[in-house]
Amino acid sequence: EVQLQASGGGLVQAGGSLRLSCETSGVTFDDYAIGWFRQAPGKEREGVSCIDTSDGNTYYADSVKGRFTISGDYAKNTIYLQMNSLKPEDTAVYYCAATETAVIGYVPRETGEYDYWGQGTLVTVSS
């Protein structure tokens, strides 16, 4: 059974940093993609950053390129999202999700492509 648990959210001032963690169980880190998504109040859930653990390929939304970095410590079954230079518009509930990879060279990035979801962690960036 695949389970994911996101943590690390909190309140930070604009320009600050946070690191989110996604602890996984039941995931084989050669067969899965792990994604970070976020949902702001009144908005749809959107893909932020995703990683194909089989080859290390990554995806970043344009809004976070150059500021966020996704990485993994597979020995700890954990995927991280390092968030730097945070902006008030980054305020949202952040979720991690997992899906089995199917297409070589393509990193899943849409919510509908992910089958397993953890609970969210709230990130609030004050101006």
Side-chain angles (χ1 to χ4, degrees):
E1 180 184 7
V2 174
Q3 293 184 325
L4 306 107
Q5 183 169 350
S7 62
L11 174 64
V12 63
Q13 288 187 332
S17 298
L18 281 175
R19 188 177 77 161
L20 304 183
S21 299
C22 177
E23 295 183 40
T24 72
S25 62
V27 171
T28 304
F29 284 119
D30 277 331
D31 300 326
Y32 281 80
I34 306 295
W36 284 100
F37 296 79
R38 67 186 180 188
Q39 188 165 18
K43 295 188 176 182
E44 293 188 353
R45 193 172 297 186
E46 62 175 356
V48 175
S49 182
C50 308
I51 184 167
D52 183 342
T53 63
S54 67
D55 57 18
N57 284 340
T58 57
Y59 160 80
Y60 293 94
D62 288 344
S63 58
V64 306
K65 282 181 181 176
R67 301 189 297 123
F68 290 11
T69 303
I70 191 169
S71 64
D73 184 338
Y74 300 156
K76 294 183 178 180
N77 297 319
T78 302
I79 301 294
Y80 302 102
L81 184 68
Q82 178 67 43
M83 306 187 296
N84 299 328
S85 302
L86 282 161
K87 304 175 181 180
E89 50 263 45
D90 295 318
T91 295
V93 177
Y94 283 72
Y95 300 87
C96 61
T99 188
E100 292 186 71
T101 52
V103 179
I104 296 174
Y106 173 75
V107 182
R109 63 204 61 188
E110 305 293 339
T111 57
E113 296 177 301
Y114 282 78
D115 300 311
Y116 307 97
W117 292 82
Q119 90 295 349
T121 185
L122 176 63
V123 172
T124 303
V125 184
S126 63
S127 57

